[in-house]
């Protein structure tokens, strides 16, 4: 992955729009107002996930791209929750683990369709065949 690749930066910009859609979904489902911390966390989380996904999924079919994005998104979220639980020193580890699995599963279900839309649009807009002159 080259940082000079304009397709990557366009995809990152599109990912910020995707984060906005996720925040609107969160606002619609939970009905709570969004704080600036949640907004920055969601945008950062989506950008980190897309930066990790790009080298693995660049050039693959859009559905595979979306699945890879979704798996990385969920794995990072689960790892974050586990580390947060360790830092807080939660006493009942099994109950916390079960709660995290349920929470992550619900987020995976809610985010699946937006992730597929992101992958479809991203694939067709930013992942067109590279000509020989662009490879140089």
């Amino acid at each position: 992955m080259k940082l000079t690749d304009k397709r990557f930066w366009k995809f990152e910009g599109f990912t910020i729009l995707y984060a906005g859609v996720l925040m609107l979904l969160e606002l619609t489902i939970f009905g709570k107002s969004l704080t600036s911390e949640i907004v920055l966390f969601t945008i950062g989380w989506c950008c980190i996930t897309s930066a990790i996904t790009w080298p693995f999924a660049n050039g693959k079919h859009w559905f595979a791209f979306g699945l890879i994005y979704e798996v990385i998104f969920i794995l990072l979220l689960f790892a974050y929750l586990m580390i947060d639980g360790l830092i807080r020193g939660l006493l009942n580890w099994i109950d916390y683990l079960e709660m995290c699995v349920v929470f992550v599963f619900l987020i995976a279900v809610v985010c699946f369709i937006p992730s597929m839309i992101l992958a479809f649009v991203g694939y067709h807009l930013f992942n067109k065949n590279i000509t020989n002159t662009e490879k140089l």
Side-chain angles (χ1 to χ4, degrees), residues 8-95:
F8 170 72
W9 291 111
K10 288 178 184 177
F11 183 69
E12 282 290 322
F14 192 71
T15 303
I16 293 172
L17 294 174
Y18 169 75
V21 169
L22 286 182
M23 287 183 277
L24 287 175
L25 273 174
E26 178 184 351
L27 188 63
T28 303
I29 292 171
F30 298 114
K32 295 182 180 179
S33 62
L34 300 173
T35 63
S36 59
E37 292 87 14
I38 292 174
V39 170
L40 290 174
F41 180 80
T42 305
I43 289 172
W45 200 268
C46 291
C47 288
I48 289 169
T49 302
S50 66
I52 294 170
T53 303
W54 186 264
F56 290 114
N58 188 19
K60 293 189 174 34
H61 189 270
W62 69 268
F63 191 76
F65 193 91
L67 286 178
I68 292 169
Y69 182 90
E70 185 73 13
V71 166
I72 290 173
F73 184 84
I74 295 303
L75 287 175
L76 287 176
L77 180 62
F78 188 74
Y80 170 77
L81 291 173
M82 290 293 106
I83 291 169
D84 186 52
L86 285 173
I87 291 172
R88 294 176 190 254
L90 297 173
L91 298 175
N92 196 346
W93 181 252
I94 300 298
D95 288 341

Side-chain angles (χ1 to χ4, degrees), residues 105-118:
F105 178 74
L106 290 174
I107 288 180
V109 169
V110 169
C111 293
F112 183 75
I113 291 175
S115 292
M116 291 301 118
I117 292 169
L118 172 71

Side-chain angles (χ1 to χ4, degrees), residues 7 58-60 122-135:
R7 294 175 305 134
N58 188 19
K60 293 189 174 34
Y123 180 81
H124 289 293
L125 288 180
F126 310 121
N127 205 20
K128 296 181 180 178
N129 292 333
I130 300 173
T131 62
N132 288 335
T133 57
E134 291 176 347
K135 288 183 181 179

